[in-house]
Amino acid sequence: MPTQSSAARPPAAVIPEPPLGRWYDVDGRRLMLYRSGAGGPAVVFVPGSGLVGLDYLNVHDRVAELTTSVLYDRAGTGWSEPVQLPRTAAEVTDELRDLLHVADVPAPYVLVGHSLGGGYARHYAQRFPDEVAGLLLLDPTHEEMLNRAPEQVVELLAQMKSQELPEATPEQLQAARGPIVELLATWPDSVRDALVDRHLATYRASWEEDKNLYGEVADELRNAPAVPDIPMIVVSAVGHDETQARIWPAELLAEINERKLTSHAELAASVPRGEHRVLDDAGHAWMHEERRDAVLQAIGDLLHLTGKPVRE
């Protein structure tokens, strides 16, 4: 099933081999996928904007003790080949479905979607309900977030997205290296340096992916069929997040979080077996590391609800 016409592809780029996993050919494009563990249902991580599959490696390794666990990079991110960004949720979910088929990862899946990846994971369940056994949505995007946002947020986001992201200077990239190395301090040495380099090489992907988030992608989520009757856990992160704290004043960020909690609670209530959990000690971007225990608990709970025996 094609995911993107060849005419829309940017020129081929030289991408180093991933430190873990391998490339699979999907519609003539190489996509990175890494798997560990055995059995099913497979847990598939769908990264947030600005993150890549190997950013979830520590959680993945623990999940692989229970079942098959899968990390991957969307086209245009990480170690997967370039694609014109942004893309529709339909294109992203078609691509993921094709990749899992090519990589011989059988359905059904427990999809773990973070932020923008939470919207994509939910859209996968909306479009392919028979292929999803459960959903874990980590601080997911929601189609009504912009409509419910304070006016100051709406104005600033519109201003930001009307501009082009300037190219980073070598000095700026070097300055960014230290904080990323610190974030990834617990990753294996064999992975960390390559992962840091890849983040610095693909820093524009997050900016480009988000361009259609509140328009086209929101409409796709809004107009798609309902999520099927499957176990779904929505986890909201309302603790300190360094990036968000630099953008929004504290009072405004508190209001953003309150409105986010409302949307997430509604999302959890939209399915009979939905549950909303709140983490007040984790930020949005790295909640899977700051509260790895809570994420692993939620995955284990979903596997249990699918009928898979899970070791305590």
Side-chain angles (χ1 to χ4, degrees):
M1 183 186 303
T3 59
Q4 184 83 11
S5 69
S6 58
R9 291 177 185 155
V14 177
I15 300 174
E17 284 205 32
L20 293 172
R22 51 162 288 198
W23 286 308
Y24 292 84
D25 187 277
V26 176
D27 189 30
R29 181 178 291 115
R30 293 181 303 174
L31 302 177
M32 193 287 285
L33 181 143
Y34 173 59
R35 85 174 88 189
S36 304
V43 174
V44 180
F45 289 83
V46 187
S49 177
L51 299 182
V52 300
L54 291 181
D55 288 323
Y56 302 84
L57 181 62
N58 293 330
V59 179
H60 161 93
D61 284 345
R62 292 286 303 279
V63 173
E65 298 172 6
L66 307 174
T67 190
T68 301
S69 185
V70 175
L71 303 177
Y72 93 107
D73 294 334
R74 291 185 289 275
T77 72
W79 280 271
S80 289
E81 287 192 324
V83 70
Q84 189 70 42
L85 298 174
R87 293 193 292 169
T88 66
E91 287 172 326
V92 170
T93 50
D94 279 344
E95 174 188 85
L96 176 56
R97 190 185 194 207
D98 291 348
L99 174 60
L100 293 171
H101 175 76
V102 170
D104 196 24
V105 182
Y109 314 111
V110 171
L111 299 179
V112 180
H114 181 195
S115 190
L116 174 62
Y120 292 151
R122 180 155 64 103
H123 200 52
Y124 194 111
Q126 290 173 318
R127 299 183 67 213
F128 313 117
D130 294 338
E131 298 180 15
V132 181
L135 281 174
L136 174 57
L137 306 180
L138 301 176
D139 223 31
T141 187
H142 188 279
E143 57 270 27
E144 300 304 330
M145 276 191 173
L146 188 64
N147 292 334
R148 295 173 176 176
E151 186 61 33
Q152 184 178 346
V153 173
V154 176
E155 292 175 355
L156 182 55
L157 286 174
Q159 179 182 347
M160 290 170 59
K161 290 308 175 182
S162 67
Q163 302 170 355
E164 289 299 319
L165 187 67
E167 290 290 340
T169 66
E171 292 76 18
Q172 289 171 325
L173 292 174
Q174 185 58 37
R177 179 176 293 275
I180 301 175
V181 170
E182 185 176 347
L183 278 171
L184 302 174
T186 61
W187 270 246
D189 293 343
S190 59
V191 175
R192 185 189 311 109
D193 289 347
L195 185 51
V196 171
D197 289 344
R198 205 70 206 127
H199 271 296
L200 294 174
T202 60
Y203 72 93
R204 299 183 66 90
S206 174
W207 180 271
E208 299 298 333
E209 273 199 311
D210 281 348
K211 281 185 173 179
N212 67 346
L213 172 58
Y214 298 113
E216 193 169 21
V217 172
D219 284 342
E220 288 178 280
L221 292 171
R222 190 178 291 116
N223 297 324
V227 171
D229 181 5
I230 55 175
M232 180 171 75
I233 298 175
V234 182
V235 183
S236 301
V238 293
H240 177 76
D241 183 279
E242 191 64 33
T243 300
Q244 292 187 349
R246 288 199 302 264
I247 298 174
W248 312 114
E251 289 186 5
L252 184 58
L253 184 53
E255 187 175 354
I256 292 170
N257 282 334
E258 282 302 314
R259 299 187 187 197
K260 177 175 71 175
L261 288 173
T262 298
S263 295
H264 286 174
E266 290 177 1
L267 181 57
S270 68
V271 295
R273 290 179 284 172
E275 181 182 351
H276 183 211
R277 302 179 183 181
V278 180
L279 301 179
D280 58 10
D281 53 357
H284 172 77
W286 290 91
M287 59 188 296
H288 56 289
E289 279 296 300
E290 294 170 6
R291 286 300 310 276
R292 194 188 311 168
D293 60 324
V295 174
L296 287 168
Q297 181 65 55
I299 293 172
D301 292 344
L302 286 172
L303 289 172
H304 178 75
L305 289 169
T306 68
K308 181 180 181 66
V310 176
R311 295 190 298 273
E312 298 294 334

